Amino acid sequence: MYDYLIVGAGLFGAVFAREATLAGKSCLVIDKRSHIAGNIYTEDVAGIPVHRYGAHIFHTNNKTVWDYVNRYAEFNRYTNSPVANYKGELYNLPFNMNTFNKMWGVITPAEAEAKIREQRAAHYTAEPKNLEEQAINLVGVDIYEKLIKGYTEKQWGRPCTELPAFIIQRLPVRLTFDNNYFNALYQGIPTKGYTALVAALLDGIEVRTDTDYLADKAALDALAQRVIYTGPIDAYFDYKLGALQYRSVRFETETLDCPNYQGNAVINYTDAETPYTRIIEHKHFVFGSTEPGTQTVISREYSAEWQPGDEPYYPVNDAANGALYARYKALADAESRVVFGGRLGEYKYYDMDKVIESALACAEKELH
């Protein structure tokens, strides 16, 4: 009998499995997909590492986490500098002096600050009731209309006037010419891809793919003393309290016979008319290899309401779903042999460094 059955070979499950193994515990890791690494899975297409389930850029201010991942993979020095395309107008993200110069022609930080202040004041709402009012309070009408409204409504499938204000408590506004999207000390992508990182974490540990835990729960539970479950918490309980809501993402990926399609890894399409939210050009994630070979791989991303059978990506963190999750959490806490973790097990949007922090904390609690 194994000490731990770990359901899900993504980042949380792999980190926990590595820590448990180092502590002398026996682990069986299973995943219903045909591959390891969950949503950070990367695969080689035309010699290009392709992020099958959307772009992932590792970034963190936590040196412990950065040192941890660097034990298992070498990282490049990729810096996330997305571009917004609004009806053919290109703007740098996050909002910075390059953005403000293109938007208003301002040259100095003082001019930009004055323009933003003027825009905010013209439409200020003392107590914003929705995302639209909150965004205008933060950055004014021009940036909201061109760079936030259309993109956000596509992403969430709802008008900004129907989205809660707390979704954007703050927006990054930089009065410098800095296109680095993340405020993180450490940033990069594994030089051999995320699949290689997860494979290194799982090295020497038994892994079974194409294994659906919920379809054969009793037999699989019987194999181990304890279970680490990283699947959807509502699915574990057979949706008996109702289904939690997610947003899903559909990808259209194609290999093109040109060396360079868009000149940047990430371009967001912020108008409402373009059906996709962004286009990823995967080769630009490989630092120093802007134009290798004669082909490139692009992925268009379409945001969609989650339906059973789809991959859940982003929890819809409104009040109703928060209340439903709290009820499922109470059921989970009563499961004496099962620990729930990760973005689906905790119904929480996690950046990768936070997943690792959470998995390490879980391992510390379980193993010591």
Side-chain angles (χ1 to χ4, degrees):
M1 177 175 272
Y2 299 93
D3 293 308
Y4 287 97
L5 171 68
I6 298 164
V7 181
L11 202 49
F12 188 101
V15 169
F16 185 92
R18 172 52 48 200
E19 294 304 295
T21 302
L22 290 172
K25 304 296 184 182
S26 58
C27 298
L28 170 62
V29 179
I30 63 172
D31 202 293
K32 71 176 182 180
R33 289 176 174 171
S34 60
H35 58 76
I36 62 169
N39 277 11
I40 62 171
Y41 176 70
T42 49
E43 59 188 335
D44 185 286
V45 178
I48 298 163
V50 169
H51 301 223
R52 186 192 286 185
Y53 303 99
H56 289 83
I57 299 114
F58 197 91
H59 58 98
T60 188
N61 283 310
N62 186 328
K63 189 172 189 303
T64 300
V65 169
W66 182 243
D67 289 345
Y68 186 86
V69 292
N70 275 270
R71 271 184 247 157
Y72 299 99
E74 179 186 0
F75 281 70
N76 69 18
R77 55 137 292 181
Y78 175 80
T79 300
N80 189 28
S81 305
V83 170
N85 182 324
Y86 176 78
K87 299 183 178 181
E89 298 173 16
L90 300 180
Y91 295 91
N92 291 105
L93 298 173
F95 310 137
N96 65 53
M97 286 301 298
N98 292 308
T99 323
F100 308 141
N101 173 261
K102 178 70 178 282
M103 186 77 68
W104 300 311
V106 296
I107 302 296
T108 67
E111 290 172 345
E113 203 166 22
K115 189 70 178 177
I116 292 168
R117 201 163 47 239
E118 170 196 314
Q119 288 249 318
R120 286 169 173 159
H123 298 88
Y124 185 78
T125 306
E127 293 185 15
K129 298 182 291 299
N130 55 52
L131 187 147
E132 177 168 290
E133 292 176 354
Q134 174 77 350
I136 291 171
N137 273 9
L138 292 169
V139 291
V141 173
D142 290 349
I143 290 174
Y144 169 71
E145 289 287 347
K146 288 191 172 185
L147 303 183
I148 298 172
K149 185 177 189 292
Y151 187 88
T152 303
E153 291 183 348
K154 286 188 290 189
Q155 193 174 34
W156 291 101
R158 295 156 175 80
C160 287
T161 51
E162 293 178 14
L163 289 167
F166 70 73
I167 288 179
I168 51 165
Q169 296 287 11
R170 54 183 295 278
L171 286 167
V173 172
R174 293 193 190 145
L175 298 174
T176 61
F177 292 89
D178 181 5
N179 298 325
N180 179 4
Y181 193 79
F182 296 120
N183 282 315
L185 285 169
Y186 312 104
Q187 183 175 171
I189 293 173
T191 55
K192 295 181 180 177
Y194 286 104
T195 304
L197 165 63
V198 175
L201 286 164
L202 293 172
D203 185 42
I205 298 168
E206 186 177 350
V207 179
R208 298 181 195 172
T209 53
D210 296 302
T211 302
D212 188 338
Y213 172 70
L214 296 177
D216 199 16
K217 184 174 178 301
L220 290 165
D221 281 346
L223 298 177
Q225 301 280 357
R226 289 179 68 70
V227 176
I228 306 297
Y229 176 80
T230 69
I233 188 171
D234 52 351
Y236 180 91
F237 293 105
D238 199 25
Y239 305 103
K240 68 182 182 183
L241 302 176
L244 290 162
Q245 285 184 298
Y246 293 90
R247 294 294 289 170
S248 192
V249 183
R250 179 173 64 83
F251 301 94
E252 266 180 14
T253 298
E254 56 181 317
T255 303
L256 304 176
D257 288 322
C258 71
N260 184 359
Y261 177 75
Q262 64 184 18
N264 203 50
V266 183
I267 296 189
N268 293 352
Y269 286 78
T270 60
D271 61 278
E273 293 75 23
T274 303
Y276 40 86
T277 54
R278 60 184 185 172
I279 297 179
I280 304 300
E281 187 169 8
H282 298 269
K283 69 165 48 171
H284 296 301
F285 288 126
V286 182
F287 179 76
S289 305
T290 303
E291 299 184 22
T294 58
Q295 292 184 307
T296 194
V297 180
I298 64 167
S299 297
R300 296 179 188 86
E301 296 188 11
Y302 297 81
S303 188
E305 200 72 22
W306 178 83
Q307 303 291 339
D310 294 343
E311 177 62 30
Y313 279 84
Y314 308 107
V316 179
N317 291 135
D318 58 16
N321 283 290
L324 181 55
Y325 168 69
R327 293 172 65 202
Y328 276 121
K329 174 76 164 60
L331 292 178
D333 290 344
E335 295 276 313
S336 59
R337 292 180 59 236
V338 184
V339 176
F340 293 75
R343 65 185 179 91
L344 301 178
E346 298 177 61
Y347 194 63
K348 186 172 184 178
Y349 180 76
Y350 269 130
D351 284 329
M352 286 180 286
D353 63 326
K354 299 301 182 187
V355 171
I356 292 169
E357 282 180 25
S358 179
L360 291 173
C362 177
E364 178 70 25
K365 184 177 178 182
E366 273 286 311
L367 304 168
H368 298 95

